[in-house]
Amino acid sequence: MGGVIDGCPAGLELSEADIQNWLDRRKPGQSRLTTQRRESDTVQILSGVFEGKTTGTPIGFLIPNDDAKSKDYSHIKDSYRPSHADYTYQEKYGHRDYRGGGRSSARETACRVVGGAIAAKLLATKGIEVRAWVERVKDVQIERSFEVLPTVEQVDSNLVRCPDPDAATKMEALIEQMRKEGNTVGGAIRCVIEGVPVGLGQPVFGKLHAALGGAMLGINAVKAFEIGSGISGTYRTGAEENDLFTSKEGMISTLTNNSGGVQGGISNGQAISFSVAFKPVATLMRDQQSVDQKGEATTVKGKGRHDPCVLPRAVPIVEAMAALVLADHILIAAADRLK
Amino acid sequence: MGGVIDGCPAGLELSEADIQNWLDRRKPGQSRLTTQRRESDTVQILSGVFEGKTTGTPIGFLIPNDDAKSKDYSHIKDSYRPSHADYTYQEKYGHRDYRGGGRSSARETACRVVGGAIAAKLLATKGIEVRAWVERVKDVQIERSFEVLPTVEQVDSNLVRCPDPDAATKMEALIEQMRKEGNTVGGAIRCVIEGVPVGLGQPVFGKLHAALGGAMLGINAVKAFEIGSGISGTYRTGAEENDLFTSKEGMISTLTNNSGGVQGGISNGQAISFSVAFKPVATLMRDQQSVDQKGEATTVKGKGRHDPCVLPRAVPIVEAMAALVLADHILIAAADRLK
Amino acid sequence: MGGVIDGCPAGLELSEADIQNWLDRRKPGQSRLTTQRRESDTVQILSGVFEGKTTGTPIGFLIPNDDAKSKDYSHIKDSYRPSHADYTYQEKYGHRDYRGGGRSSARETACRVVGGAIAAKLLATKGIEVRAWVERVKDVQIERSFEVLPTVEQVDSNLVRCPDPDAATKMEALIEQMRKEGNTVGGAIRCVIEGVPVGLGQPVFGKLHAALGGAMLGINAVKAFEIGSGISGTYRTGAEENDLFTSKEGMISTLTNNSGGVQGGISNGQAISFSVAFKPVATLMRDQQSVDQKGEATTVKGKGRHDPCVLPRAVPIVEAMAALVLADHILIAAADRLK
Amino acid sequence: MGGVIDGCPAGLELSEADIQNWLDRRKPGQSRLTTQRRESDTVQILSGVFEGKTTGTPIGFLIPNDDAKSKDYSHIKDSYRPSHADYTYQEKYGHRDYRGGGRSSARETACRVVGGAIAAKLLATKGIEVRAWVERVKDVQIERSFEVLPTVEQVDSNLVRCPDPDAATKMEALIEQMRKEGNTVGGAIRCVIEGVPVGLGQPVFGKLHAALGGAMLGINAVKAFEIGSGISGTYRTGAEENDLFTSKEGMISTLTNNSGGVQGGISNGQAISFSVAFKPVATLMRDQQSVDQKGEATTVKGKGRHDPCVLPRAVPIVEAMAALVLADHILIAAADRLK
């Protein structure tokens, strides 16, 4: 597995270790809450970095597969797993690579994490920080709000990647129970971006939150995206929901942040905050009724090694995609205004 | 106001009347629930159509402004309206055209509706139908589900564009009350697309629901997007949420449609269903505290003619953007597979 | 006729007069060497400029057609003009708008000139100047070279737009003779860009001269593009052709400029110089043998008002496309390197 | 070295051998006329092909470097090679990877050849054939024309890849002489595409020959592009140059093909024919005067293993880029017209 990242400016300090930290948070087998399939997910930079700095030319990278043992896919070769892409691929392309889910496998998100790690290094040079965490697993959710952005250490202080220890304990128990039952759960990840300058995003096509939403909905298993107060804000009136402006020593800000840091498609300098909802993993460790390519009834066996809940491993993916979108807009914004 | 639509295939029957029907559903002043500002929004096709059919070359169109009387913008020239784009534009670009909201005005959505009307004609030739309606205004929502897709006539049978008469009556009363109080409300629009072939969308980048979500989040005032069972589905387990395959006379379908017609980013032949949440309109007919460009406290007056709720007029906009995304994918899909 | 220009930074001083100067150099009927068809080609800016400066949002413009008298196209309705796009359009799209050449008409280049005029204003703020002139009409060509870039006044000092008065006199005579014979000629335009910073262009995909070449080949009637010493340089050896580096007071430059200001796809700070070859106009004032849609032999009459040579009017089009490509790369280059 | 090819339709038969044939024609060390540096350039397909057919998902490939011995680049580390990209990269990006030319190395064209090999397989299923050959080395050129497209065997029957044996012998002698003198030569490659359907290309932006020209100018060392009769045609009058239509048994064609198979930016069913001019290789086996990064005078040594003439190895690169452009337009054209 590998890829090519184009458009990274020259002069950014970058090492494989910077990227590896991110991949390690996504890789399978990292805890008892995740799939026990093991991949070291070790990244090799092939081009675009010289003497520790990016050269401005495309960055090629490789993540060799090390779990090479031949697997048995006969149980899915001819049958369609429910809520997977087997059927749609078969119909779209006329044939499909049934091994390991092929291109629909969430394994390809490792490449997005590589891009996100580089983007985050770029953002750090501008004082921008991206942080995501699990805020809900099924119906267990964080009850408190955070005055100060949780640190990576706080997020990673438990296996669930939830910075509220009480909620984390309940979430962990729920995921463990699901695993025992061969069942799965989803939930929601909150992502907050601090230090964002005013003015990122384009007014008509290319609104910043539309770019973020499109990127998040491209992550496997994502079913919904909410910016700022999201759906809950649509249960309030305009008088309750509007973010009033205020100023302090000449600095303009808003009294509330229901907009989630984006107004009219453009960042307003407040923290960008959004929520991403993930459906329960479709692969169950249970037998499920299905059909084969001929439409004949069949049973899909529950076997293999799968995650009972993707959210802990999805935290760095959400951060990566957010960092990519922000970095892209930082680069675009250089051309906004005559200097 | 006008635009250019590129990429429409040659040979599509198209008249200005086809487009006008759509614009009339979006235009201001159409009922007592909308702004009383009047624009006839009459479209003129300038190029790309000859003898009643598209020529394959770009379609240029114009919607002349007819409400030309000079308006008074002095109340917003120097102050930032809460939850509007005034401040972000000023900071991004260094100056801004404060008249009528400039580019951030929802008026530009008329151009999207023109594109959508053409896209819908294209989809109709393939047997694909797009229908949207208001399913919730603030906390008043449709309590029933629809076995059969509501018709345009059913949707337009009341001023709210809600095909459930009981809910519509309550929604209408709520909007009227808001208008009297100088306040505003938001809510949610449901969009369903029927007749979609299996196989639209790209597997990794370019998932169909990501394209739909990005398009919807680009509509003014949209705060959230949910595909299929959306957030409610993330409160269930995988065993409850998975869509099991079945077949009838060789036709494969799913017993449920929690996926909303998209699996692995690709359409699966079931109806595509998604929900779009709109925040309450930011412009109130009340005074609001704010600041001016120097950061000094000021009051933004509530004056002018504005919608207490955008949802009735947003129904054709949601349909238009959905039609554009689908038509785009229909055209792309022609190259999916060797023929 | 009209268009929308997206991506122009905010804060650029811009008036309709800036653009009109460019359009006046392209418009038909400007001299006895061009077609006698008259169009005032008056531009109206519809959006994107406020109080004399660009706002950063898309710039919409309109050039109303004023030569509205109904023309007679019956002579080309059913027959294919030689070396025109009639046949290819008919076959590609199944039908075609035969009036005035439709989309294949060079009239649409007026829109490119509008974009180029704006791009040139942007380049001027960076000290970059684009200048084009006619260097050859058929086999009559400029015999001298220019130590100093010719001024617009020098280029426009004769009807041919050739800054060498001796060559211009011969070119003018040749074009007049062609007009009398109902025949046409082509030739070549030289374009030189001065003040270009080092570093524009991308190394692999997106080389600067490839972008320039693609843009020039998109102009109607262009058959060839040469950068720097072009084809003549390929008749020399590497030892003769290489541009040796030198330096003067720390400023690095090259002793020769066979590269035409671009090395490895990236500008090297020397003047960018390229040549664009135009075929003779395909519309003759003579009868030509052809076929109709059924393949039956027919005669295309030579009638109407056409240019015996497009080069004088193409000078601002070449400048416009060059300015657009350069401005685009100036904007992109802002993201090349970490600052 | 490697890459990812996106957009190839599913169902195309494809093996590594199909691609290897192409790479072998480009690889270094293949004859005494090319550089003696050796690379096996063996391609490995990593994804996108299953059971001998493309799956419709991105095709990843790798070409491992096998000439791994550490080279000595000290002679170019601090000095700028004339007419190379050293200086422009250094100035653009602030630092550069001086090893082997980095991204400016023509080595990356191997990746384009992989893409071209796949595109050519796709074109073959539509009956389209792309053939290129050397038509001129410096001032030695083919004197005859070809009634029938030369075969690959004819092209490859000599080391120069020129299907005219007499010219080939002289070209070979010239290249040998240049090698002995440590000097280099350029020339021109002709490319002809047969079997092209009418209607490829877009009328305004996206003309077919503009796409071909942009692609060719993106190949290292290319200085000029001519479509059809090219520059020589601009020395004739319209009456001489126009391609008159004729028909035979209902099939419309042209009596001449000065247009090179493209009219108004759209293919007209005649053979597409264009010429690509390459400058002499910039790396000489001689000492050349230059400057270092500080602007101090220095000498660039002529050492290493380099091509005295790139044209024989560039033939498959031209074919590859032509095939990629054509395949792209074949896929786009599927959406031209309502079916």
Side-chain angles (χ1 to χ4, degrees), chain A residues 33-35 37 81-84 104 106 137-138 175 178-179 182-187 220-223 277-286 288 303 305-314, chain B residues 233-243 259:
Chain A
L33 289 192
T34 69
T35 171
R37 194 179 63 248
R81 289 168 297 164
S83 289
H84 270 274
S104 71
V137 172
K138 199 169 176 274
I175 297 172
M178 285 296 124
R179 171 197 297 288
N183 208 344
T184 60
V185 274
N220 301 44
V222 170
K223 299 296 292 284
F278 289 76
K279 71 171 183 176
V281 176
T283 306
L284 308 184
M285 292 302 96
R286 297 177 173 190
Q288 295 180 90
K303 54 184 285 193
R305 295 161 298 175
H306 291 277
D307 294 270
C309 177
V310 292
L311 277 84
R313 291 178 57 204
Chain B
T234 70
Y235 282 86
R236 289 194 287 271
T237 67
E240 296 161 325
E241 183 71 2
N242 275 359
D243 291 321
S259 298

Side-chain angles (χ1 to χ4, degrees), chain A residues 190-235:
Chain A
R190 167 70 48 184
C191 183
V192 174
I193 313 171
E194 288 195 344
V196 183
V198 187
L200 302 187
Q202 302 299 324
V204 180
F205 301 105
K207 294 194 171 87
L208 181 59
H209 62 291
L212 285 165
M216 295 303 146
L217 288 159
I219 301 173
N220 301 44
V222 170
K223 299 296 292 284
F225 172 84
E226 300 175 87
I227 181 80
S229 60
I231 291 171
S232 70
T234 70
Y235 282 86

